[in-house]
Amino acid sequence: MSQRKYNLTENELPKFYYNIISDLPVPLPPVLHPGTKQPIGPADLSPLFPMELILQEVSGERFIEIPEPVREAYKIWRPSPLIRALNLERELDTPAKIYYKYEGTSPTGSHKPNTAIPQAFYNKNAGVKKLTTETGAGQWGSALAFAGAMFGLDVEVFMVRVSFEQKPYRKAMIQSYGANVTASPSQKTNSGRNILENDPDNPGSLGIAISEAVEIAATNDDTKYSLGSVLNHVLLHQTIIGNEALLQFEMANDYPDIIIGCVGGGSNFGGFAFPFIGEMLRGGKKIQAIAVESSACPSLTKGLYAYDFGDTGHLTPLVKMHTLGSTFIPPAIHAGGLRYHGMAPLVSHLKELNLIKAQAEEQLECFKAGILFAKTEGIIPAPEATHAVKAAIDEALNCKMEGTSKTIAFSLSGHGHFDMQAYEEYLTNNLGNIQFSEEDLLLAQKQLPKVA
Ligand SMILES: *Cc1c(COP(=O)(O)O)cnc(C)c1O
């Protein structure tokens, strides 16, 4: 009988994060000041982030030590299991081997606490009292609220209005950890008030919520801002996923040919894939890494690779990334975590270097894959994670057609227990495919900042 689960002990929890910047064949384009269009320095970011995190953002070290209190907190749920999807393989009748790294075992049900915990730790160490942040579907807000409770920090969450209304239990979860949650756009900030003045029914977006959270942090001395994806230090923290998986594949006496992750801002994909891509860049086995986005918010496959703002209110520095345009408001798909106009600069850069592949998937096909996964493997995936499931199933079916046995590994970034409304709509045929407006996209891309 084949082994199903590969578990590491607490003692085997990796002691280092992996920093892919150290192995890049071409350096990452610099982050620019929006006014001067010149590269920014660490001091420019210090109103928003503590210095330890800023230094991680620009570090060239290959391995960065995980502080002991962070490892202690990780032990609440880590190491996370690597599971062979034997039932799914049988159902698909594929010669491929399918593994998934399951991040839904965290207290809040996704990979997000992997970075929330170290971010809270470094902020606490720097004497910060309060963190502000944005959240889409609520996964990040609840993760930071949990981390705030672990390290004794106040947390204020701006939650995208559509999700605030669709996902009341995420809201209650954030509050259970003692954090504050406000529907965004809100009356609490200039950015929010400006938007509501022109459009009182604005459904909100991650870009808007980021502006609100950044504004509060920038205007209060004891408050800093925390971002759940996109930035280098966030992807760095998430490499705990891939570092564990490297050890687990050693246990399994196997190694992936294909690595798959869904991408909103790129953090679970990067965290899972980068340690393997790093091995490849240093002369190890060649793998194919596939980033799977929503066809309703296709930054990697339809966006421009250009300098853009991280937020809608244009308070952040300019980063070079695949972007739909910071003024683009993505349609209200259920995979709220995939509704972001941009993509992590690191993921974008790897795509430009052809070190990863990107594809976009439709909402309905993804839910169909999610249901098949639930029926075979038992876990109901978060709507975001169904995108990775869909791509993994397609690769396994390709193997069947070609008669090849590849090893496919995907990141199951979270469970869908707070997303059952979406599943209910799917099961009652009330869910459709959602298209973005090409017109809105063109308009948003015309408004990209001009950088020489
Ligand atoms: C937030 C989230 C995502 C998308 O974010 P990334 O930074 O791209 O990983 C994907 N899956 C789940 C379960 C999430 O909560």
Side-chain angles (χ1 to χ4, degrees), residues 6-14 74-82 101-103 105 240 244 247-248:
Y6 297 90
N7 283 323
L8 300 168
T9 66
E10 286 183 9
N11 286 334
E12 292 170 306
L13 185 74
Y74 276 168
K75 283 180 190 170
I76 294 174
W77 77 98
R78 303 207 73 85
S80 74
L82 179 75
K101 180 76 169 150
Y102 185 40
E103 290 298 311
T105 60
I240 186 78
E244 285 179 4
L247 299 174
Q248 288 163 314

Side-chain angles (χ1 to χ4, degrees), residues 338-350:
L338 306 187
R339 282 185 78 231
Y340 182 59
H341 68 271
M343 184 52 61
L346 274 171
V347 171
S348 295
H349 187 62
L350 292 179

Side-chain angles (χ1 to χ4, degrees), residues 411-427:
S411 162
L412 189 64
S413 51
H415 67 63
H417 296 178
F418 290 87
D419 307 286
M420 295 319 293
Q421 172 76 32
Y423 275 92
E424 187 184 74
E425 285 174 29
Y426 174 79
L427 293 168

Side-chain angles (χ1 to χ4, degrees), residues 88 92 98 260 387-397 408-410:
L88 179 63
L92 298 173
I98 308 173
I260 297 168
H387 291 69
V389 176
K390 164 71 167 66
I393 290 176
D394 285 351
E395 291 297 331
L397 291 175
I408 300 164
F410 72 91

Side-chain angles (χ1 to χ4, degrees), residues 109-112 139-140 228-230 262-269 337-338 382 384-385 413-415:
S110 80
H111 63 294
K112 298 268 181 5
Q139 287 273 23
W140 171 241
S229 187
V230 180
C262 66
V263 284
S267 76
N268 86 89
F269 168 76
L338 306 187
E384 292 85 356
S413 51
H415 67 63

Side-chain angles (χ1 to χ4, degrees), residues 84-388:
R84 175 100 180 263
L86 290 168
N87 298 357
L88 179 63
E89 288 173 17
R90 248 176 253 127
E91 175 69 26
L92 298 173
D93 190 25
T94 173
K97 285 184 273 181
I98 308 173
Y99 295 82
Y100 59 97
K101 180 76 169 150
Y102 185 40
E103 290 298 311
T105 60
S106 80
T108 58
S110 80
H111 63 294
K112 298 268 181 5
N114 296 336
T115 184
I117 290 287
Q119 289 196 45
F121 168 77
Y122 290 117
N123 274 287
K124 181 73 182 183
N125 257 10
V128 173
K129 296 279 179 287
K130 177 174 159 181
L131 289 174
T132 61
T133 197
E134 73 293 332
T135 198
Q139 287 273 23
W140 171 241
S142 44
L144 195 69
F146 156 61
M150 291 296 106
F151 290 99
L153 283 166
D154 291 340
V155 173
E156 174 153 30
V157 180
F158 288 91
M159 185 166 184
V160 175
R161 183 175 300 276
V162 279
S163 301
F164 189 87
E165 282 153 13
Q166 276 176 356
K167 309 216 157 138
Y169 298 127
R170 275 285 167 200
K171 190 168 68 187
M173 192 171 184
I174 293 169
Q175 290 164 334
S176 299
Y177 287 121
N180 236 306
V181 54
T182 306
S184 167
S186 79
Q187 297 289 351
K188 282 190 176 168
T189 64
N190 285 328
S191 321
R193 286 188 292 268
N194 281 343
I195 287 165
L196 289 175
E197 213 168 281
N198 298 318
D199 181 9
D201 297 323
N202 190 296
S205 72
L206 277 175
I208 295 170
I210 293 173
S211 297
E212 294 206 86
V214 164
E215 187 179 319
I216 301 268
T219 50
N220 289 282
D221 277 347
D222 62 351
T223 303
K224 300 249 184 252
Y225 166 68
S226 189
L227 187 63
S229 187
V230 180
L231 296 176
N232 300 347
H233 70 265
V234 177
L235 274 61
L236 174 81
H237 301 152
Q238 292 294 354
T239 60
I240 186 78
I241 303 173
N243 284 343
E244 285 179 4
L246 274 169
L247 299 174
Q248 288 163 314
F249 272 104
E250 221 171 279
M251 283 172 84
N253 224 338
D254 206 344
Y255 200 88
D257 298 296
I258 302 174
I259 291 198
I260 297 168
C262 66
V263 284
S267 76
N268 86 89
F269 168 76
F272 186 38
F274 287 0
F276 292 90
I277 296 174
E279 296 271 306
M280 174 167 74
L281 291 172
R282 297 193 301 277
K285 191 181 153 187
K286 200 166 156 23
I287 52 143
Q288 183 178 45
I290 308 173
V292 191
E293 60 187 7
S294 161
S295 60
C297 191
S299 56
L300 270 177
T301 54
K302 294 260 172 75
L304 297 172
Y305 185 54
Y307 273 100
D308 196 7
F309 291 96
D311 68 322
T312 308
H314 296 177
L315 303 175
T316 69
L318 298 175
V319 293
K320 191 145 188 198
M321 60 181 174
H322 287 89
T323 178
L324 298 167
S326 62
T327 54
F328 178 81
I329 307 282
I333 45 171
H334 279 287
L338 306 187
R339 282 185 78 231
Y340 182 59
H341 68 271
M343 184 52 61
L346 274 171
V347 171
S348 295
H349 187 62
L350 292 179
K351 161 94 186 327
E352 284 303 292
L353 297 176
N354 279 320
L355 287 166
I356 64 167
K357 194 181 124 179
Q359 66 194 49
E361 299 290 349
E362 302 269 359
Q363 175 162 268
L364 266 182
E365 286 296 310
C366 292
F367 273 96
K368 189 174 157 202
I371 291 284
L372 179 64
F373 191 78
K375 282 182 173 164
T376 50
E377 295 297 315
I379 297 169
I380 298 178
E384 292 85 356
T386 61
H387 291 69

